Structures are given as structure tokens and as C-alpha cells.
Coordinates of all heavy atoms in Angstrom, one line a residue:
I176 N 35.7 11.7 -2.1 CA 35.4 12.4 -3.4 C 33.9 12.7 -3.5 O 33.1 11.7 -3.3 CB 35.9 11.5 -4.6 CG1 37.4 11.3 -4.5 CG2 35.5 12.2 -5.9 CD1 37.9 10.3 -5.5
F177 N 33.6 13.9 -3.7 CA 32.2 14.2 -3.9 C 32.0 15.4 -4.8 O 32.9 16.1 -5.2 CB 31.6 14.6 -2.5 CG 32.2 15.8 -1.9 CD1 31.6 17.1 -2.1 CD2 33.3 15.8 -1.1 CE1 32.2 18.2 -1.5 CE2 33.9 16.9 -0.5 CZ 33.3 18.1 -0.7
E178 N 30.8 15.5 -5.3 CA 30.4 16.6 -6.2 C 29.1 17.2 -5.8 O 28.2 16.5 -5.5 CB 30.3 16.0 -7.6 CG 30.0 17.0 -8.7 CD 30.0 16.4 -10.1 OE1 30.6 15.3 -10.3 OE2 29.3 16.9 -10.9
E179 N 29.0 18.5 -5.8 CA 27.8 19.2 -5.5 C 27.1 19.6 -6.8 O 27.8 20.3 -7.6 CB 28.1 20.4 -4.6 CG 26.9 21.2 -4.2 CD 27.3 22.3 -3.2 OE1 28.5 22.6 -3.1 OE2 26.3 22.9 -2.7
T180 N 25.9 19.2 -7.0 CA 25.2 19.6 -8.2 C 23.7 20.0 -7.9 O 23.2 19.6 -6.8 CB 25.1 18.4 -9.2 OG1 24.4 17.3 -8.6 CG2 26.5 17.9 -9.6
E181 N 23.1 20.7 -8.8 CA 21.7 21.1 -8.7 C 20.9 19.9 -9.2 O 21.3 19.3 -10.2 CB 21.4 22.4 -9.4 CG 22.1 23.6 -8.7 CD 21.7 24.9 -9.4 OE1 21.1 24.9 -10.5 OE2 21.9 25.9 -8.8
V182 N 19.7 19.7 -8.6 CA 18.8 18.6 -9.0 C 17.4 19.1 -9.1 O 17.1 20.2 -8.6 CB 18.9 17.5 -8.0 CG1 20.3 16.8 -8.0 CG2 18.5 17.9 -6.6
A183 N 16.6 18.4 -9.8 CA 15.1 18.7 -9.9 C 14.4 17.8 -8.8 O 14.7 16.6 -8.7 CB 14.6 18.4 -11.3
V184 N 13.5 18.4 -8.1 CA 12.9 17.6 -7.0 C 11.4 17.8 -7.1 O 10.8 18.8 -7.5 CB 13.3 18.2 -5.6 CG1 12.6 17.6 -4.5 CG2 14.8 18.2 -5.4
I185 N 10.7 16.7 -6.8 CA 9.2 16.7 -6.8 C 8.7 15.9 -5.6 O 9.3 14.9 -5.2 CB 8.6 16.2 -8.1 CG1 7.1 16.3 -8.1 CG2 9.0 14.7 -8.4 CD1 6.4 16.1 -9.5
R186 N 7.6 16.4 -5.0 CA 6.9 15.6 -4.0 C 5.8 14.9 -4.6 O 5.0 15.6 -5.3 CB 6.5 16.6 -2.9 CG 7.7 17.1 -2.0 CD 7.3 18.3 -1.2 NE 8.5 18.7 -0.4 CZ 9.5 19.4 -0.9 NH1 9.5 19.8 -2.1 NH2 10.5 19.7 -0.1
L187 N 5.7 13.6 -4.4 CA 4.7 12.8 -5.0 C 3.8 12.1 -4.0 O 4.2 11.8 -2.9 CB 5.3 11.7 -5.9 CG 6.3 12.2 -7.0 CD1 7.1 11.1 -7.5 CD2 5.4 12.8 -8.1
A188 N 2.6 11.8 -4.4 CA 1.7 10.9 -3.6 C 2.5 9.6 -3.4 O 3.1 9.1 -4.3 CB 0.4 10.7 -4.3
H189 N 2.4 9.1 -2.2 CA 3.1 7.8 -1.8 C 2.2 6.6 -2.2 O 1.5 6.0 -1.4 CB 3.4 7.8 -0.3 CG 4.2 6.7 0.1 ND1 4.0 6.0 1.3 CD2 5.3 6.0 -0.5 CE1 4.9 5.0 1.4 NE2 5.7 5.0 0.3
R190 N 2.2 6.3 -3.5 CA 1.5 5.2 -4.0 C 2.2 4.6 -5.2 O 3.0 5.3 -5.9 CB 0.0 5.6 -4.3 CG -0.1 6.6 -5.4 CD -1.6 6.9 -5.7 NE -1.7 8.1 -6.6 CZ -2.2 9.2 -6.2 NH1 -2.7 9.5 -5.0 NH2 -2.2 10.2 -7.1
P191 N 1.9 3.4 -5.6 CA 2.6 2.7 -6.7 C 2.4 3.5 -8.0 O 1.3 4.0 -8.3 CB 2.0 1.3 -6.8 CG 1.5 1.1 -5.4 CD 1.0 2.4 -4.9
G192 N 3.5 3.6 -8.8 CA 3.4 4.2 -10.1 C 3.8 5.7 -10.2 O 4.0 6.2 -11.3
E193 N 3.8 6.4 -9.1 CA 4.0 7.8 -9.1 C 5.5 8.2 -9.6 O 5.7 9.1 -10.4 CB 3.7 8.5 -7.8 CG 2.2 8.5 -7.4 CD 1.4 9.2 -8.5 OE1 1.7 10.3 -8.8 OE2 0.4 8.5 -8.9
L194 N 6.5 7.4 -9.1 CA 7.8 7.7 -9.5 C 8.0 7.4 -11.0 O 8.6 8.2 -11.7 CB 8.8 6.8 -8.7 CG 10.3 7.0 -9.0 CD1 10.7 8.4 -8.8 CD2 11.1 6.1 -8.1
G195 N 7.4 6.3 -11.4 CA 7.4 6.0 -12.9 C 6.8 7.0 -13.7 O 7.2 7.3 -14.8
R196 N 5.7 7.6 -13.2 CA 5.0 8.6 -14.0 C 5.8 9.8 -14.1 O 5.9 10.4 -15.2 CB 3.6 8.9 -13.3 CG 2.7 9.8 -14.1 CD 1.3 9.8 -13.6 NE 1.2 10.4 -12.3 CZ 0.7 11.6 -12.0 NH1 0.3 12.3 -13.0 NH2 0.6 12.0 -10.8
A197 N 6.5 10.2 -13.1 CA 7.4 11.4 -13.1 C 8.5 11.2 -14.1 O 8.9 12.0 -14.9 CB 7.9 11.8 -11.7
A198 N 9.2 10.0 -14.0 CA 10.3 9.7 -14.9 C 9.8 9.6 -16.3 O 10.5 10.1 -17.2 CB 10.9 8.3 -14.5
S199 N 8.6 9.0 -16.6 CA 8.1 8.9 -17.9 C 7.8 10.3 -18.5 O 8.1 10.6 -19.7 CB 6.8 8.1 -18.0 OG 7.1 6.8 -17.7
R200 N 7.3 11.2 -17.7 CA 7.0 12.6 -18.2 C 8.3 13.3 -18.6 O 8.4 13.9 -19.6 CB 6.3 13.3 -17.1 CG 5.9 14.7 -17.4 CD 4.6 14.7 -18.4 NE 3.5 14.0 -17.8 CZ 2.5 14.6 -17.1 NH1 2.5 15.9 -16.9 NH2 1.5 13.9 -16.6
L201 N 9.4 13.1 -17.8 CA 10.7 13.6 -18.2 C 11.2 13.0 -19.5 O 11.6 13.8 -20.4 CB 11.7 13.4 -17.1 CG 11.5 14.2 -15.8 CD1 12.5 13.7 -14.7 CD2 11.6 15.7 -16.0
G202 N 11.0 11.7 -19.7 CA 11.4 11.1 -20.9 C 10.6 11.5 -22.1 O 11.2 11.7 -23.2
E203 N 9.3 11.8 -21.9 CA 8.5 12.2 -23.0 C 8.9 13.6 -23.5 O 8.7 13.9 -24.7 CB 7.0 12.4 -22.5 CG 6.3 11.0 -22.3 CD 5.0 11.2 -21.5 OE1 4.6 12.3 -21.2 OE2 4.5 10.1 -21.2

């Protein structure tokens, strides 16, 4: 069972906190 959906993608610097920053920005 699978589903194909569109997603938002970002390339980030590979350092601590970057994923959290992107998620926080979406939440804001």
C-alpha cells in the first residue's frame, strides 16, 4: 500500500539546528 504525494523540499547546511530552524519557520 502506498500513496504518491507532493512535498516541500529544502537543501540545508549540514550542521546542528538547521532542520529545527526550517521546521520552526513553517510553524511560525
Side-chain angles (χ1 to χ4, degrees):
I176 298 170
F177 63 94
E178 182 178 334
E179 183 177 9
T180 61
E181 292 187 346
V182 295
V184 177
I185 186 169
R186 287 165 180 79
L187 301 166
H189 186 220
R190 61 178 173 247
E193 292 301 309
L194 179 60
R196 190 162 67 103
S199 292
R200 186 74 59 95
L201 292 171
E203 289 166 4

